[in-house]
Amino acid sequence: MNIAHVCATYPPYQGGTGRVCQEQCRGLVARGHEVTVYTVTDRGSTVYELSVGEPFVVRYATILRFGNAALPLDQLWCKRHDLFHFHYPYYGGGDFAWVRALVGRIPYVVTYHQDVKLQGALNAIAKAHHATAGRFLLAGARTVMATTVDYAQHSKLRPLLWRSGVPRVIAIPHGVDMERFSPGPGQDAARAALGWNRTDRVVLFVGALDTAHYFKGVPVLLEALARLNGETVRGVIVGHGDLLPQLRERARHLGLAERVVFATDVDDQELPLYYRGSDVTVLPSLTQGEAFGVVLLESLACGTPVVASDIPGVRSVVRDTGGGMLVPAGDVEALAKRLGQLLSEESLRLEMRKRGLARVRECYTWSHVLDRLEMVYQDVLAGEYD
């Protein structure tokens, strides 16, 4: 099959949507498919990238960009494909590629990554887009894929769940690369490689720290860390973005300057070491801008339990794997309590480690996900979703 993936972000940009797109495309290439990724670049001219084992990546120059929204006019002229796969939301560029699919009468599917929850006037713009172009894009898809049934039922996808008595939305989770993300040689070896103190209790956060990802809830995590007594409790924040200066200032204000490390230059090869070396990974997201939490799978695959917000989609991953605990979103006291419990009870951490690792291996490898994705593609091209 000749497949086009259209996505607002793509590595090296740090963000779950782009990383999921990359893993799907790499897996499809390995299975013999011809794959092209259409995304954008900050450079003044369009960039074309082709490497062995990778999809062909076209990074379009833009005439206007705001956050992850962009207007790459050249995207109207993307080449012919058997199928388009849209990673929603992608304001601007996704709309232009959608027009190309319509004009060429090319069938398309959509992965609905999350609702967009912005602040102020930007939220009004996002709502207007979803009610107009977004609505038509989603309605015209042969099928829409959500990461969990839970999220689909509680998101803006709910009105699309059924059409004429036929389910229009199917659940296909994200996956994890079990070769990269694995328990490895263990926590002590990871800490030695990272230069961490063996006796510290380490709480890890991994995620983008830019305005587009304000909902990640890092300030809540910092507040919770400040309430945990003991000089041996450390926080490690992996990520970078324009919110970094104010987060560092917040940590200093809370007296955490010596207890929290902001690791801003961690590459993909180092990331598994951070998971293995930590006692718990936290995803303290505040809104349904977070729909799944790939970091939860990565952490569990490395043998590290998790604590996450009890919000649609995210809670499904924690409950299904049994590898962590849930807390109400934004509840500093509850987060501090659960972290304190996990950090003090080694037997509980080991139990969650065992359950989570087994479940991820059973259901959340990219091989499982790609099997289902290929089946969807084949069914679409065979007319099953017409």
Side-chain angles (χ1 to χ4, degrees), residues 362-376:
E362 180 184 6
C363 297
Y364 290 96
T365 66
W366 276 116
S367 178
H368 285 99
V369 174
L370 287 166
D371 286 346
R372 296 180 64 184
L373 192 59
E374 276 188 311
M375 188 175 299
V376 168

Side-chain angles (χ1 to χ4, degrees), residues 182-219:
S182 68
Q187 187 180 85
D188 288 347
R191 290 191 175 188
L194 292 168
W196 294 358
N197 192 320
R198 184 176 178 180
T199 60
D200 284 344
R201 300 275 67 94
V202 180
V203 177
L204 177 69
F205 169 88
V206 178
L209 303 178
D210 56 9
T211 301
H213 292 85
Y214 77 93
F215 57 81
K216 290 290 185 178
V218 177

Side-chain angles (χ1 to χ4, degrees), residues 293-311:
V294 173
V295 297
L296 301 177
L297 295 184
E298 292 175 349
S299 181
L300 294 172
C302 291
T304 301
V306 299
V307 174
S309 295
D310 188 358
I311 55 179

Side-chain angles (χ1 to χ4, degrees), residues 75 96 99 110 178 288 305 309 363 367:
Q75 201 145 347
F96 280 96
V99 171
V110 176
M178 294 295 296
Q288 285 181 224
S309 295
C363 297
S367 178

Side-chain angles (χ1 to χ4, degrees), residues 124-189:
I125 295 172
K127 285 183 176 180
H129 179 277
H130 183 82
T132 53
R135 173 188 171 192
F136 288 110
L137 187 153
L138 291 167
R142 298 299 173 90
T143 193
V144 178
M145 294 168 281
T147 49
T148 66
V149 172
D150 179 34
Y151 193 80
Q153 292 174 335
H154 291 86
S155 71
K156 294 177 181 178
L157 270 182
R158 186 181 178 110
L160 287 176
L161 289 179
W162 297 85
R163 181 175 65 186
S164 301
V166 178
R168 290 215 55 241
V169 178
I170 61 176
I172 297 182
H174 299 324
V176 63
D177 182 349
M178 294 295 296
E179 292 186 3
R180 283 183 55 220
F181 297 98
S182 68
Q187 187 180 85
D188 288 347

Side-chain angles (χ1 to χ4, degrees), residues 5-80:
H5 278 245
V6 182
C7 194
T9 61
Y10 197 78
Y13 176 87
Q14 286 190 335
T17 299
R19 289 169 64 194
V20 165
C21 178
Q22 183 184 56
E23 292 292 347
Q24 288 180 348
C25 293
R26 282 175 168 174
L28 291 167
V29 169
R31 293 181 177 211
H33 300 290
E34 184 179 348
V35 183
T36 303
V37 177
Y38 294 104
T39 186
V40 294
T41 179
D42 290 327
R43 300 182 188 178
S45 57
T46 298
V47 178
Y48 303 91
E49 300 171 357
L50 181 60
S51 303
V52 176
E54 297 284 343
F56 179 43
V57 181
V58 181
R59 301 181 189 267
Y60 284 117
T62 62
I63 60 170
L64 180 65
R65 188 166 186 181
F66 186 83
N68 290 334
L71 289 179
L73 289 179
D74 286 348
Q75 201 145 347
L76 280 170
W77 311 114
C78 50
K79 66 179 185 178
R80 178 82 191 184

